């Protein structure tokens, strides 16, 4: 079995919430790196890499397990979760329902439109700079801005979790659809700026559908 090595991870400083920092750091590396599903994530190795005790690492791993990003095996450590084609289709189906609904009820304020435009511009710049983690975070932020504008905290929580699981599915297919995000986000933004919710919902549905189709096609090709 492989062991998880994170040479670029910086040691964490004690004054802050170590569990939250450990969670954020481990999650970022899970989404960014090309880790194999057989890679073992142990409390001992992670705590040594981060320069902290095992306790906050254990809590962070438990949170990632609850979110469905890793699976924890007793006395063996944690491993990246593996998704079946049906699970991927289910995740995208749920995401589409949540995001199309969010676009339909979000409070359209000048600040929201300005924030979405800034996000769309940053997404394009991050893509050109080949900043994978930055692009993932900005992509998630764009969709999160719309969800937050609904005022529905539970919708935001569920969508954030679904987004994380989807990005885990897409780690090895990032290049298949990442280039479509800036134009897709701009189409959603332009429709919302005009106050045309139906057009915005159609753009959102098309955006999610394209990414889903490319990911499923990749998975099918891998199994054949």
């Amino acid at each position: 079995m492989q062991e998880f090595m994170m040479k670029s991870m910086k040691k964490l400083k004690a004054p802050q919430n170590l569990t939250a920092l450990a969670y954020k750091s481990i999650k970022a590396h899970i989404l960014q790196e090309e880790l194999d599903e057989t890679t073992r994530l142990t409390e001992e190795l992670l705590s040594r890499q981060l320069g902290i005790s095992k306790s906050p690492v254990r809590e962070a791993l438990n949170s990632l397990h609850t979110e469905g990003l890793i699976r924890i095996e007793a006395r063996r450590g944690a491993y990246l979760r593996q998704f079946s084609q049906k699970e991927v289709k289910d995740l995208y189906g749920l995401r589409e329902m949540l995001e199309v609904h969010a676009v339909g009820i979000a409070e359209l304020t000048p600040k929201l439109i300005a924030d979405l435009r800034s996000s769309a511009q940053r997404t394009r710049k991050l893509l050109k700079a080949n900043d994978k983690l930055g692009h993932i975070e900005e992509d998630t932020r764009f969709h999160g801005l719309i969800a937050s504008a609904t005022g529905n905290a539970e919708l935001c929580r569920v969508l954030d979790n679904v987004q994380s699981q989807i990005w885990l599915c897409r780690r090895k297919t990032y290049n298949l659809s990442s280039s479509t995000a800036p134009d897709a986000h701009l189409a959603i933004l332009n429709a919302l700026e005009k106050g045309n919710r139906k057009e915005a919902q159609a753009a959102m549905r098309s955006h999610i559908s394209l990414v889903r189709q490319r990911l499923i096609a990749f998975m099918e090709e891998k199994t054949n």
Side-chain angles (χ1 to χ4, degrees):
M1 294 287 185
Q2 289 179 276
E3 276 204 327
F4 181 47
M5 299 302 294
M6 300 179 289
K7 295 180 181 179
S8 61
M9 292 184 76
K10 296 180 180 179
K11 290 189 176 182
L12 303 176
K13 297 181 180 179
Q16 302 181 58
N17 185 320
L18 290 182
T19 297
L21 286 172
Y23 164 85
K24 183 177 180 180
S25 187
I26 296 169
K27 183 176 181 179
H29 278 269
I30 285 175
L31 297 180
Q32 184 181 32
E33 300 294 331
E34 295 292 331
L35 299 176
D36 188 85
E37 283 75 10
T38 61
T39 300
R40 190 159 63 112
L41 310 171
T42 66
E43 293 176 12
E44 182 178 356
L45 179 60
L46 291 169
S47 63
R48 187 168 66 248
Q49 290 283 336
L50 294 171
I52 58 177
S53 67
K54 292 181 182 179
S55 181
V57 169
R58 184 180 306 117
E59 292 180 35
L61 290 175
N62 285 333
S63 294
L64 292 167
H65 172 69
T66 301
E67 291 182 12
L69 296 182
I70 63 173
R71 67 184 197 279
I72 297 177
E73 298 183 10
R75 296 181 295 279
R76 294 191 63 196
Y79 298 83
L80 297 186
R81 180 180 168 189
Q82 299 181 59
F83 294 84
S84 67
Q85 288 185 36
K86 184 181 185 306
E87 287 172 329
V88 170
K89 290 177 181 177
D90 288 346
L91 280 171
Y92 271 95
L94 177 56
R95 179 186 172 187
E96 183 177 318
M97 285 190 291
L98 290 172
E99 298 224 52
V100 170
H101 174 66
V103 165
I105 66 170
E107 183 181 357
L108 304 182
T109 64
K111 184 178 187 310
L112 173 63
I113 298 302
D115 287 345
L116 290 175
R117 188 168 300 283
S118 295
S119 177
Q121 292 170 347
R122 281 194 297 271
T123 297
R124 196 176 298 278
K125 289 179 182 178
L126 290 164
L127 188 64
K128 288 182 178 179
N130 198 31
D131 184 344
K132 181 176 178 180
L133 182 58
H135 178 268
I136 290 173
E137 291 176 341
E138 194 59 51
D139 182 280
T140 301
R141 181 173 180 272
F142 180 90
H143 292 275
L145 285 168
I146 297 173
S148 295
T150 68
N152 188 327
E154 188 63 15
L155 184 151
C156 294
R157 183 191 67 79
V158 174
L159 180 59
D160 183 62
N161 180 235
V162 169
Q163 283 272 51
S164 293
Q165 292 183 61
I166 282 175
W167 272 114
L168 179 57
C169 296
R170 290 181 57 195
R171 287 180 317 121
K172 296 179 180 179
T173 63
Y174 171 80
N175 292 326
L176 291 180
S177 54
S178 58
S179 62
T180 66
D183 288 341
H185 288 185
L186 188 60
I188 295 166
L189 164 62
N190 288 340
L192 289 176
E193 190 170 26
K194 293 185 294 185
N196 191 331
R197 292 184 184 271
K198 287 187 177 180
E199 183 181 326
Q201 288 177 316
M204 179 68 79
R205 189 176 286 109
S206 176
H207 174 38
I208 295 171
S209 178
L210 175 63
V211 180
R212 174 176 53 213
Q213 289 171 8
R214 292 186 178 181
L215 177 55
I216 293 297
F218 173 84
M219 295 179 73
E220 289 176 344
E221 183 180 332
K222 293 284 285 185
T223 57
N224 293 335

